[in-house]
Amino acid sequence: MKSKKYDGLTIFLFLLPAIILFVGILVAPLISSFVNSFFEYKGFGAKTPVQFDNYRRLFDTNETWFKPSVVHALILAGLSVFVQLPLSLGLALLLGRGIKGERFFLSVNFLPVLISTVVIGQLWLKVFDSNGMVNALLRMVGYLKEGEDNIQWLADNGSGILLYSCFVPMLWQYVGYHMLLMYAGVKSVPTELREAAKIDGATDWQVDWHVVIPSMKQIIKVSVIFAVTGSLKSYDLIRIMAMDLKVKDAAVPSTVLMDFMSLRQEYGVASAVSVMLILLCFFFAITIGAVFKERD
Amino acid sequence: MKKFLAMLLAIVAVLGLSACGKDDGLTMWCIATKSDSNRHSYEAAIADMEKKYPDTKLNWEAIENETYKQKIKAAVAGDNMPDIFFTWSCAFLGDFVEAGKVYCLDEAYKEFADKLPEKMCKNTTYGGKKYGVPLTMNIVGLFANMDILAEVGYTEVPDTYEKLIECCNALVAANKIPFGCAGKETWCVTEYLESIIEKSIGAKALDDIFMGKTTKASWDNADVAKAVDLFQTMIDNKYFDPDGVSLGNDAVKQNFIDGKYAFYMNGTWNCADFSKKGPKNVKVAEFPVIDATKSKLGQLIGGPSDTLAVAKSAKDAANTAKYTFELGQLICKYGYLDGCGLPAWTVDYDASKVNALTQSVAKIVTDSDYMVLFGDTAMPSDEAGKYLDQVAKVYTKQVDGAGFIKALKEGIR
């Protein structure tokens, strides 16, 4: 009995540093954000309790851009899942077949992941600039006529184009990341399974569809969770491409949060946004997990 | 016991080291980073102060504008403020004053009252008490590339609204772009919109709206809606670069320097850059009057905003306050001589070498009789946020004049 108690204490002491870090870095700020979300607070001075008013304001489109920002984040999540991930999967399957120059193509596709987001943002700003490469190309092929105004790919003018202009560099940057995850999955499929299918007369495509993809369901699940939660939390590329925290057409929860915290000094509302963001991420992570579990 | 002693020694050593880091000098935070046009004025002023007060060391740190806003707020929240700090006037400093974190400068001001006019302290006076040392001041100016205007037959900046419109029409007909405005930075749009509103409804009416002197319903002003519609008509008439909505201010400013636009409305802190980098033949004027029954020339947007303040927690606050006044006076002097703004303090030195553009601005200010501070500085930050949201929508025509005043009337609590 004495020994068990001693063991318990030892375990607790060994866990203590991790517990302190976990509570101090993750739990305490979460609790603090949650508490602040019920106050009107400028970051200093007195806190005035406002009950659920900050949450009410989040859903009032005259007050905040939170509702459209969630819609934008979900559009990004949808594009990530239905455009980015299939592209990554396709590349992973292709490279997984052991094509010539496999290592080279793997490195090339993974390269954008290694480049700083700021650099990528600046690069694509030039591409989408009103006098940039995209408009020049459209003029060259005759889509834009002589004297016709340039298409404003980066304008926050209510057209909604900006959101899609922001998605392109996101796609470009992270397609290699998901490809690498999936490539590991493709490579982990036993060669015997592939060979057996081939002996049975399956084509490469049939092998991928019926053997490889079902075997890497767990990796696809992780990729989907990363893509969806990553889209909900997206900030850096949008901040760079939009050049303004007060962006509307490509507003996402994080830009709304920063607008309230940094520009408007409304820490209470910013905290409410952060609480909602965490809840959304949890909700989608659990839902995606459940969907994949059901399919199992 | 040995372990206990070792730990005790370690604690003593750590405490000793942290004590070594402490300095008896003053601390100051500002935004004059190395790339800031005001950097030289700070360096020169601090060098002068160190010569005059060799026993007082000033440990100063310059932080980039947006980061600074966060840092100073966090310092105020955590009672960890520097002795002297840079701030913007009106609502920004007002929040700190309201929180009781700023030292009142009324006593120290007495010594400097003959050099610092009372009216320059208006934006940093709260409840009748002074809390800030103004540095330089700036207004919104209508910069004109005279070479481009000459191409359509103008030798002077149009001084009436009708002439300005005629000039813009002539420019458009000649395939020239009259104005450049950075849609990616909403404050640049306010430089145009506020000037147009002011010259339509009058400075006093606009000031009352910004400062909330009447009720918030003062946004419910049909003349403001008309002014917004007028601004949008100018956009419709192709007076503005259509690419401007996708550009930041640096790009637009560079376009003006490169001769792409005939006019550029922005702060007069640009005088130094335009004098050095071009356009070759540039003039500055105030935006002409739109409705002469309500407004007149001499009503400007701008005023003293850049300010130094002293923390209530400052070491020897009374003397630090006097030190701050002296430092502020010097920063103002060097800033003016560099062409980075107009002096909030009386000029008692040779300023004949100040660039011609800044001197033109000085004349405009001398002839003025009313200055309305920039809306986003004058209004509390939460209200300014909503105001800027609507301004951005005006430029991209997502809202018209009626929608603008309706949203602000309802949105500002």
Side-chain angles (χ1 to χ4, degrees), chain B residues 182 185-192 249 264 266-267 269-270 376 388 391:
Chain B
E185 294 182 52
T186 315
W187 67 269
C188 296
V189 184
T190 66
E191 310 275 286
Y192 285 89
N249 186 48
Y264 174 68
N266 209 285
W269 53 81
N270 290 297
D376 55 344
L388 292 174
V391 171

Side-chain angles (χ1 to χ4, degrees), chain B residues 161 179 196 230-240:
Chain B
Y161 180 67
F179 295 101
I196 291 171
L230 192 74
F231 178 50
Q232 292 187 326
T233 308
M234 292 171 81
I235 298 168
D236 288 342
N237 291 344
K238 297 204 172 283
Y239 294 170
F240 284 83

Side-chain angles (χ1 to χ4, degrees), chain A residues 63 65 246 248 259-260 263-266, chain B residues 186 375-376 379-392 408 412:
Chain A
E63 290 257 357
W65 279 83
K246 302 193 82 61
K248 310 284 181 305
D259 175 28
F260 273 99
L263 299 180
R264 301 193 192 191
Q265 281 179 49
E266 293 193 65
Chain B
T186 315
D376 55 344
M379 285 189 265
S381 47
D382 54 339
E383 293 185 1
K386 289 167 189 165
Y387 166 68
L388 292 174
D389 281 348
Q390 294 305 318
V391 171
L408 288 176
I412 290 183

Side-chain angles (χ1 to χ4, degrees), chain B residues 163-322:
Chain B
K163 281 187 201 168
L164 179 69
I165 295 302
E166 277 171 23
C167 177
C168 288
N169 287 333
L171 286 163
V172 171
N175 268 329
K176 307 276 176 202
I177 302 171
F179 295 101
C181 175
K184 285 282 183 184
E185 294 182 52
T186 315
W187 67 269
C188 296
V189 184
T190 66
E191 310 275 286
Y192 285 89
L193 188 60
E194 287 174 2
S195 298
I196 291 171
I197 295 175
E198 186 186 47
K199 292 297 167 69
S200 299
I201 71 167
K204 172 81 173 64
L206 182 62
D207 201 20
D208 284 353
I209 294 173
F210 282 166
M211 306 299 270
K213 281 180 186 161
T214 58
T215 60
K216 298 295 178 203
S218 44
W219 276 114
D220 190 14
N221 181 328
D223 290 331
V224 173
K226 253 167 70 182
V228 171
D229 290 339
L230 192 74
F231 178 50
Q232 292 187 326
T233 308
M234 292 171 81
I235 298 168
D236 288 342
N237 291 344
K238 297 204 172 283
Y239 294 170
F240 284 83
D241 180 4
D243 291 346
V245 285
S246 307
L247 298 177
N249 186 48
D250 286 349
V252 169
K253 186 175 161 181
Q254 191 57 48
N255 282 343
F256 178 69
I257 290 171
D258 294 343
K260 188 176 174 187
Y261 311 132
F263 298 108
Y264 174 68
M265 285 274 287
N266 209 285
T268 49
W269 53 81
N270 290 297
C271 289
D273 278 348
F274 293 156
S275 296
K276 279 182 212 151
K277 299 174 189 168
K280 223 184 215 173
N281 192 3
V282 61
K283 279 189 180 174
V284 62
E286 67 175 293
F287 196 84
V289 174
I290 296 170
D291 185 342
T293 62
K294 292 174 181 134
S295 180
K296 58 178 185 170
L297 284 176
Q299 296 188 339
L300 308 171
I301 297 288
S305 177
D306 291 1
T307 302
L308 289 182
V310 177
K312 210 171 200 172
S313 57
K315 296 176 214 90
D316 189 7
N319 280 324
T320 303
K322 285 180 189 167

Side-chain angles (χ1 to χ4, degrees), chain A residues 40-45 53 57 62-63 65 129-131 149-150 152-158 162 241-244 246 248-249 261-267, chain B residues 66 69-70 73 76-77 92 95-96 98-99 183-186 238 242-248 260 381-382 384-386 388-389 392-393 396 398 410-411 413:
Chain A
E40 190 179 305
Y41 180 47
K42 284 187 168 178
F44 55 84
D53 195 46
R57 289 178 65 195
N62 288 326
E63 290 257 357
W65 279 83
D129 186 75
S130 40
N131 293 308
D149 285 344
N150 288 321
Q152 303 301 330
W153 300 101
L154 299 171
D156 191 15
N157 56 5
L162 181 61
M241 299 284 283
M243 287 161 77
D244 193 354
K246 302 193 82 61
K248 310 284 181 305
D249 284 5
M261 199 178 83
S262 171
L263 299 180
R264 301 193 192 191
Q265 281 179 49
E266 293 193 65
Y267 277 60
Chain B
E66 285 303 316
K69 286 177 187 166
Q70 288 297 308
K73 281 174 203 164
V76 171
F92 195 89
D95 286 341
F96 302 155
E98 199 183 316
K184 285 282 183 184
E185 294 182 52
T186 315
K238 297 204 172 283
D243 291 346
V245 285
S246 307
L247 298 177
K260 188 176 174 187
S381 47
D382 54 339
K386 289 167 189 165
L388 292 174
D389 281 348
K393 283 186 179 178
T396 50
Q398 295 177 65
E410 288 170 0
R413 294 187 297 174

Side-chain angles (χ1 to χ4, degrees), chain A residues 34-107:
Chain A
F34 184 69
V35 172
N36 281 338
S37 70
F38 295 102
F39 289 89
E40 190 179 305
Y41 180 47
K42 284 187 168 178
F44 55 84
K47 288 182 184 178
T48 314
V50 290
Q51 293 181 339
F52 287 93
D53 195 46
N54 290 334
Y55 289 94
R56 180 199 60 75
R57 289 178 65 195
L58 286 190
F59 293 95
D60 180 349
T61 34
N62 288 326
E63 290 257 357
T64 72
W65 279 83
F66 181 71
K67 262 197 321 196
S69 78
V70 173
V71 173
H72 295 157
L74 292 177
I75 291 174
L76 290 180
L79 288 169
S80 297
V81 172
F82 296 108
V83 177
Q84 191 178 47
L85 294 190
L87 204 62
S88 304
L89 182 63
L91 284 170
L93 291 171
L94 201 67
L95 294 177
R97 286 177 193 169
I99 59 166
K100 201 177 169 191
E102 182 183 336
R103 289 272 154 208
F104 171 74
F105 288 116
L106 198 65
S107 306

